[in-house]
Amino acid sequence: MNVPEMFGSMVFNDNVMREMLPKKVYQSLQNTMIAGSALDEDVADIVASAMKEWAVSKGATHFTHWFQPMTGITAEKHDSFLTVDKSGCIIMDFSGKELTKGEPDASSFPSGGLRATFEARGYTAWDPTSYAFIKDDTLCIPTAFCSYTGQILDKKTPLLRSMDAISGEAVRALALFGKNVRRVNATIGAEQEYFLIDKEDYSKRLDLRLTGRTVIGAPAAKGQEMEDHYFGSIRPRVKAFMADLDEELWKLGITAKTEHNEVAPCQHEMAPIFDNANKATDANQLTMEMMKKVAERHGFACLLHEKPFEGINGSGKHNNWALSTDEGENLLDPGKTPKDNAQFLLFLTAVIKAVDDYQDLLRISVASAGNDHRLGANEAPPAIVSIFVGDELNSVIESIIEDKPFKGKSSSFRLDIGTSVLPKLARDNSDRNRTSPFAFTGNKFEFRMPGSSFNIACTNVMLNTAVADALKDFCDELEGAEDFNEALNVLLKRELSEHKRILFNGNGYSKEWEEEAERRGLSNYKRTPDALVHYCDEKNVRLFKRHKVYTEEEMDSRLEISLDEYQKAIHIEAVTMLEMLRRQILPAAIRFSSSLASSVQMKESIGVSANADKALCAKASTLCDGLLLKTDELEECVAGCPAETEKAAFYAADKIIPAMEEARRLCDELETITDKSYWPVPTYSEMLFYV
Ligand code: ADP
Ligand code: MG
């Protein structure tokens, strides 16, 4: 396999453009991509025609605008290139207009009240900063999605806006250090976790099919306690899947790099090489889609839910984040000279301030019914946002705050920002704190709270905008300073003192941390609605307006959509559970207990002891009685859900989830005593330890 040749073969990337477009057109497109200048129609026509020619040569027959509505998944509407020309002949055609703008009927996508149904029109607009690609014989054109009145209805547009915001402020900050750059990009490497189970098992479980997770199921005899799966040898079937997935991703220009087993049985991970936030987000959306598709081909179902199985680890998506100039300088790299160190400390401090000031937004960006099973459980970061910087950087920060000599591993000296050189910070693996939700890992931050099924756009919108805001304040202060180093020292000392409460290097899973965090005044929103209701807090609205990322109306709509999505997810889970209990579990358990009852009768009629049968029958029957009661209660509970969205979301968290849990406990207990041949759905041991 010639990987370099295959890589990006299905992408209309820079090489192809350079080859296929007239020089002037190529230049003009470059300007649009880098400076965001508008693309004129003639240019668009030429680009479209080249794109079509390229796509057709690769076997494509259709095109689609590929966008990311608020559902979190990508949407497409395919049109063929087919056109009838004036002489009645069939030709393959694609115009600049079709490339740059599409008009899908927007009425069936969530808008949170932004777009009244009678004004159904929405439009998609080409995002030339992410390459077009071919998938399933269809040319896919990455696009933004807006309502006709200009309000955004998707996840890509705010991300692009937030990238502009942080670029602008970071460019300003770099100018303070005498650097003249055109653009700073947020760079993202999203590590994707997932489960693979046998498709046959999957298809037998209504809960997996409808909700993505098992709403019932007793634990398997073996879980992850032997710690034998993480980085363990990979099953041949899974290996074949991974090889196939790599190939599909490489063709799409996605830099799949690392594939390994994760902690839980059947759990795996794929990490790509990082890219700018926009491309990395598109790539991650495509990766998730490809994982599902390739899994099918190998007789697997790929589960992207955050908690498909109770009692073993769930899946997250680590969002590695840094800032990089157009010349490739990583601004979170501490550097080697005093000047680079000072610049690093300024950016580091901006991140610390941003994460402290906007902890709530980061928590909100990862809030969902699925992720609530992860955050705060003893396997994933807690619901409290804090930053891990490691011992060495921590002593640097302390020496700045307290104006005292810096004590490093090998040296101790007075740190004078702008003149002293920082010690080389160790990038020691063992130093990494796995329990921290937001960890500095040498030259980037790793945000570990996002759930595996998430679109990472939202998290990065929050992060980019919050850091942009901190940088803006810093630049406003430093630009006017007479003595820059002096002003920088004052600023760092003040800001680090003010925000040091967000730094925590200890065990994030411990109970003590929860209490300590409360003393420090950090927020701890355990459930999605608890977090979401803070989205439109005044400070947050001010932030997004200030950087032109969201209008207040757009925020209101997003809040409405998120609350609604949450309560609907719980509702679907509850109804699915009811259906399984009533139509599968209870009938099966009753059949089982009545078989025992017959056995008792028969045995006693011939004077044989039936004590075991009797005892088991009694136990199963009692559990069935209890389960029926809990099922009725759950049904009543679901029926009582209020109509208003916020109330419904809290009702789901307060009432429906506990009712589901009560029913589940009885069901799972029943499972453990029921004859396997009666049990109507595959069990955890069957699903997790398939052969
Ligand atoms: P691990 O965390 O498993 O030790 P790495 O630290 O090498 O692995 O990288 C994890 C992810 O972070 C990868 O997707 C990688 O591409 C990404 N990454 C590395 N450097 C950066 C950066 N500067 N910006 C964003 N992501 C990065
Ligand atoms: Mg990692």
Side-chain angles (χ1 to χ4, degrees), residues 33-44:
M33 285 164 74
I34 295 165
S37 56
L39 194 68
D40 69 56
E41 235 173 80
D42 296 345
V43 171

Side-chain angles (χ1 to χ4, degrees), residues 189 191 230 260 269 271 318 320 432 434 441 444 446 448:
E191 302 168 51
Y230 189 58
H260 62 79
E269 181 186 296
H318 293 174
N320 292 272
R432 293 186 185 183
R434 291 272 155 207
T441 51
K444 64 182 191 294
E446 183 171 347
R448 306 200 177 109

Side-chain angles (χ1 to χ4, degrees), residues 62-67 75-79 81 94 98 133 135 138-143:
H62 289 69
F63 70 92
T64 181
H65 279 200
W66 184 79
F67 57 104
E76 18 191 286
K77 170 182 160 250
H78 296 193
D79 278 300
F81 291 122
F94 185 46
E98 284 169 310
F133 56 91
K135 176 170 69 76
T138 302
L139 172 68
C140 300
I141 300 148
T143 51

Side-chain angles (χ1 to χ4, degrees), residues 321-334:
W321 182 94
L323 292 171
S324 176
T325 68
D326 47 6
E327 279 146 32
E329 180 188 351
N330 179 354
L331 303 177
L332 293 179
D333 193 318

Side-chain angles (χ1 to χ4, degrees), residues 27-40 128:
Q27 276 308 330
S28 155
L29 190 56
Q30 285 295 307
N31 282 343
T32 304
M33 285 164 74
I34 295 165
S37 56
L39 194 68
D40 69 56

